[in-house]
Amino acid sequence: MRKPMRALPLTALALASTLLAGCASNEPAPDLQEQDLYRQAQVSLDTSRFNSAVQQLEALDTRFPFGSYAEQSQLELIYAYYQVDNWEAARAAASRFIRLHPDHPQVDYAYYMRGLAAYSAGRFSLESLDLIDISKRDLGATRDAYVDFGELVRRFPNSTYAADSRQRIIYLRNVLARGELQTADFYLRKQAYLAAVKRGEWVIEHYPNTPATRDALAVMVEGYLGLGLRDRASETLKVLIQNDPDNERLDGRTFEPRYVKTDDLTV
């Protein structure tokens, strides 16, 4: 998956090669003109001084909301917020840009960064280290990212950011599906068997191409057993055997319940 990148810089406006002395301070000088302030922000971004860049770009947005650099500085502020791990501010800035400039040639970048901020807020980097199972955490940020990337792909299928977004959607879909199974497992332990079956059905209907659909079938088998519906459980078990004969809940053609106190089911 690609790393976050800055929005394409302005090319129509020439920037001077020297900087005012005020650029050494984090706080932008109050009397700086728009072009000088924008130049300082560019240097801060180029040298990875992102906290300074945030302050300078915020000053640009406040002092010159309708200036020549307004739209570009708003785009780069999204990136700067992202780089200082202020995911909420990055998402808010991206949403604002989308609302104010829906026809901007780089609005797809705002959609992408909005999704990427939510993706990062879910702490997915920890998943790669096997430190946590993301699906067991609060999935609010995960759902936000899934929706944001999905909207980007639908609106801008040929965007520079579409291919990366599609990869992230696949990963996020798997995380969300696993999260639903965590809930289904909870229902089984609490003997809420109908709720567990419904949750398994939800996974199969909404995340049909994920590995979780096979475990969703196992959840449904056990849920039906808990409800005393052995015929329905047998029908679902046949589907499970056909699609996932090596499922950990199976011993050949026999299903071994994990929580429901009943005889094993064989078809």
Side-chain angles (χ1 to χ4, degrees):
M1 296 182 186
R2 67 189 302 169
K3 296 180 179 180
M5 56 185 294
R6 285 168 58 183
L8 296 176
L10 290 172
T11 56
L13 297 173
L15 299 178
S17 60
T18 60
L19 302 177
L20 297 183
C23 72
S25 171
N26 283 344
E27 288 289 343
D31 57 346
L32 279 178
Q33 296 301 306
E34 181 188 10
Q35 188 179 45
D36 297 319
L37 186 53
Y38 181 75
R39 185 191 312 117
Q40 285 191 4
Q42 293 303 295
V43 172
S44 294
L45 290 170
D46 290 340
T47 56
S48 299
R49 293 187 294 115
F50 297 114
N51 284 305
S52 295
V54 165
Q55 291 183 323
Q56 291 152 354
L57 292 166
E58 286 179 339
L60 263 171
D61 192 37
T62 300
R63 299 178 196 176
F64 309 100
F66 305 106
S68 300
Y69 299 91
E71 294 179 5
Q72 184 68 20
S73 62
Q74 289 168 16
L75 276 175
E76 292 181 337
L77 184 56
I78 301 169
Y79 175 78
Y81 280 139
Y82 180 89
Q83 290 295 343
V84 298
D85 297 346
N86 193 339
W87 320 124
E88 184 176 351
R91 284 182 56 76
S95 294
R96 174 177 177 241
F97 187 89
I98 292 167
R99 184 179 69 254
L100 295 177
H101 313 292
D103 299 320
H104 191 278
Q106 294 188 66
V107 71
D108 59 331
Y109 175 80
Y111 278 102
Y112 176 72
M113 290 302 296
R114 186 170 70 176
L116 200 59
Y119 186 93
S120 298
R123 303 300 184 190
F124 297 105
S125 59
L126 298 178
E127 175 105 327
S128 64
L129 300 177
D130 295 326
L131 297 178
I132 62 173
D133 182 351
I134 296 298
S135 68
K136 295 181 180 180
R137 294 168 57 92
D138 177 20
L139 295 178
T142 307
R143 294 188 181 92
D144 288 340
Y146 185 74
V147 170
D148 290 337
F149 287 130
E151 189 170 5
L152 167 64
V153 169
R154 285 192 301 274
R155 289 176 178 267
F156 308 99
N158 299 318
S159 167
T160 302
Y161 313 102
D164 183 71
S165 296
R166 290 187 182 97
Q167 291 181 15
R168 294 181 190 274
I169 286 170
I170 293 171
Y171 174 73
L172 292 168
R173 185 185 294 125
N174 290 335
V175 172
L176 290 170
R178 294 206 315 269
E180 295 292 342
L181 290 181
Q182 295 290 339
T183 302
D185 190 73
F186 170 81
Y187 286 146
L188 288 175
R189 285 186 279 113
K190 295 298 183 180
Q191 299 181 7
Y193 301 125
L194 180 58
V197 169
K198 293 297 184 183
R199 194 58 59 120
E201 291 175 342
W202 173 272
V203 170
I204 292 171
E205 179 180 355
H206 291 87
Y207 307 113
N209 297 317
T210 63
T213 55
R214 299 171 181 178
D215 286 327
L217 288 168
V219 164
M220 293 174 63
V221 173
E222 186 153 358
Y224 284 133
L225 288 175
L227 292 170
L229 302 175
R230 293 186 71 87
D231 288 344
R232 295 291 298 274
S234 295
E235 293 172 3
T236 308
L237 176 56
K238 292 176 183 177
V239 179
L240 174 61
I241 293 172
Q242 180 179 358
N243 288 274
D244 189 18
D246 297 322
N247 190 279
E248 63 178 1
R249 309 288 288 281
L250 294 177
D251 181 8
R253 300 184 65 83
T254 298
F255 181 85
E256 301 173 344
R258 180 176 294 166
Y259 304 109
V260 176
K261 295 181 180 179
T262 185
D263 295 334
D264 293 348
L265 179 65
T266 301
V267 296

